[in-house]
Amino acid sequence: MEKRELGRTREKIPVLGMGTWEIGDAQNERRALEIKALRRGIELGMTLIDSAEMYGYGNAEKLVGQAIKGIRDDVFIATKVSPQHFGYEDVLSSCENSIRRLGVEHIDLYQLHWPSDQVPIEETMKAMEELVARGKIRYIGVSNFSVAQTLKAREALPRSEIVSNQLRYSLTRRSIEAELLPFCEREKLTVIAYSPLDTGKLPTSKIPQALLDKYAMTPAQLMLNWVTYRDAVVAIPKAAKVEHVEKNAAAVSTRISPDDYQALSRIFE
Ligand code: NAP
């Protein structure tokens, strides 16, 4: 699996990871299948796992914890704190709770899930830096932050960098291309593309068959190849089915040509 630098950290993360929204709520058989899917993805190199304290009210993190038992050092764990917990003490306790549910000693990337208009960013970032100092988290990221919000968040961090912004991005959802993506590229922030398959609404009929044939890819694979074409982007498709995980991991083994990238971009402009 191709790897890319996270921000300016020199840490390498895979160009495709795995999302965990709506994973971990089921019981028994389905739960076992979700664990199997995550483990298979890790085996295939999709070792970046993205979760959040709000996914299934902690159930997604618990399931990730089960899936990574015994292989924690093979994975890069990203999770998120929710805006209602952006107060100083709340950030510290949310992080402890995530660490406990995940069954890890530290979180690799801790992200602010959405901007908050309730808690000053300075207060939240003070707690994030304290977590770095205590060794509870390694890197700080944001999610759904505009350029102005990212700049403000950066100013509130005297000792650390913001390494990533997790944003909605897919062939069919392109709004970040106007401002946010060029900003992240310039400033060396990794864009973690969420819903890279547009939550499973694949635009199958609009993708030229000739292109699918040329690269022997499914529409989903072509979408993942397309979304990670630019160096600043990694993507975190969610797949509860092992066959989807295997297809996704194979989606970036070759790169579509610059001409095909442009052609596909134009079709969905
Ligand atoms: P997504 O990854 O775009 O799409 C997931 C859907 O695509 C699922 O229904 C999945 O089916 C299907 N799928 C996966 N691989 C496929 C394949 N090879 N062929 C056909 N269908 C395939 O949507 P998402 O879950 O919204 O986004 C991914 C992750 O981003 C989330 O899980 C979460 O971690 C993160 N996220 C973050 C935010 C944020 O605010 N930061 C918001 C939304 C999501 P199966 O599950 O049945 O395999």
Side-chain angles (χ1 to χ4, degrees), residues 7 10 39 68 80 129 132-133 137 141 155 167 185 194:
R10 300 207 179 143
R39 286 189 80 100
I68 63 169
K80 310 183 200 81
E129 288 209 318
V132 173
I137 66 173
E155 270 172 34
L167 299 162
E185 287 177 328
Y194 76 72

Side-chain angles (χ1 to χ4, degrees), residues 18-23 49-52 55 80 111-114 142-144 166-170 192-202 218-221 223-224 236-248:
M18 293 184 283
T20 61
W21 187 47
E22 290 187 323
I23 275 183
I49 302 183
D50 178 74
S51 198
Y55 296 169
K80 310 183 200 81
Q111 304 157 103
L112 306 189
H113 205 149
W114 290 87
V142 295
S143 178
N144 301 299
Q166 187 174 134
L167 299 162
R168 186 163 191 161
Y169 189 40
S170 68
I192 301 181
Y194 76 72
S195 306
L197 298 170
D198 203 3
T199 71
K201 292 191 241 44
L202 307 178
T218 65
Q221 287 179 313
M223 282 179 89
L224 293 178
I236 46 166
K238 171 254 168 183
K241 297 192 181 76
V242 171
E243 56 271 31
H244 282 164
V245 165
E246 290 177 343
K247 289 271 184 220
N248 294 349

Side-chain angles (χ1 to χ4, degrees), residues 50-55 61 78-99 101-102 107 109-116 119 121 123-125 127-129 131 137 139-145 166:
D50 178 74
S51 198
E53 63 170 345
M54 69 158 277
Y55 296 169
E61 289 182 331
T79 195
K80 310 183 200 81
V81 53
S82 307
Q84 66 268 31
H85 296 150
F86 280 5
Y88 184 84
E89 291 299 333
D90 290 338
V91 173
L92 301 187
S93 54
S94 276
C95 182
E96 273 311 325
N97 290 335
S98 287
I99 281 179
R101 285 189 293 263
L102 290 160
I107 290 161
L109 174 65
Y110 203 37
Q111 304 157 103
L112 306 189
H113 205 149
W114 290 87
S116 164
V119 182
I121 190 71
E123 177 177 342
T124 308
M125 286 312 199
M128 295 293 268
E129 288 209 318
L131 288 170
I137 66 173
Y139 303 114
I140 299 170
V142 295
S143 178
N144 301 299
F145 274 47
Q166 187 174 134

Side-chain angles (χ1 to χ4, degrees), residues 31 44 118 145 215:
R31 194 180 173 80
L44 293 170
Q118 307 290 313
F145 274 47
Y215 294 104

Side-chain angles (χ1 to χ4, degrees), residues 68-237:
I68 63 169
K69 222 172 234 155
I71 51 168
R72 196 276 172 252
D73 291 346
D74 297 345
V75 293
F76 185 92
I77 295 291
T79 195
K80 310 183 200 81
V81 53
S82 307
Q84 66 268 31
H85 296 150
F86 280 5
Y88 184 84
E89 291 299 333
D90 290 338
V91 173
L92 301 187
S93 54
S94 276
C95 182
E96 273 311 325
N97 290 335
S98 287
I99 281 179
R100 181 177 37 77
R101 285 189 293 263
L102 290 160
V104 295
E105 309 242 301
H106 67 266
I107 290 161
D108 295 299
L109 174 65
Y110 203 37
Q111 304 157 103
L112 306 189
H113 205 149
W114 290 87
S116 164
D117 52 13
Q118 307 290 313
V119 182
I121 190 71
E122 292 75 13
E123 177 177 342
T124 308
M125 286 312 199
K126 199 166 170 215
M128 295 293 268
E129 288 209 318
E130 179 59 25
L131 288 170
V132 173
R134 291 184 191 178
K136 299 288 181 185
I137 66 173
R138 293 177 61 216
Y139 303 114
I140 299 170
V142 295
S143 178
N144 301 299
F145 274 47
S146 68
V147 170
Q149 287 161 339
T150 308
L151 287 169
K152 203 162 168 232
R154 195 156 72 173
E155 270 172 34
L157 279 173
R159 284 173 291 157
S160 324
E161 294 279 332
I162 291 171
V163 300
S164 57
N165 195 351
Q166 187 174 134
L167 299 162
R168 186 163 191 161
Y169 189 40
S170 68
L171 186 57
T172 43
R173 300 278 189 138
R174 306 269 291 280
S175 59
I176 69 164
E177 286 179 358
E179 209 192 345
L180 262 166
L181 178 54
F183 166 79
C184 291
E185 287 177 328
R186 243 182 0 257
E187 300 294 323
K188 292 262 180 300
L189 263 76
T190 297
V191 169
I192 301 181
Y194 76 72
S195 306
L197 298 170
D198 203 3
T199 71
K201 292 191 241 44
L202 307 178
T204 310
S205 60
K206 274 182 85 179
I207 298 180
Q209 187 60 42
L211 218 49
L212 298 172
D213 291 344
K214 179 173 174 184
Y215 294 104
M217 284 185 191
T218 65
Q221 287 179 313
L222 203 56
M223 282 179 89
L224 293 178
N225 199 294
W226 181 92
V227 83
T228 56
Y229 188 86
R230 291 163 80 144
D231 277 343
V233 182
V234 302
I236 46 166

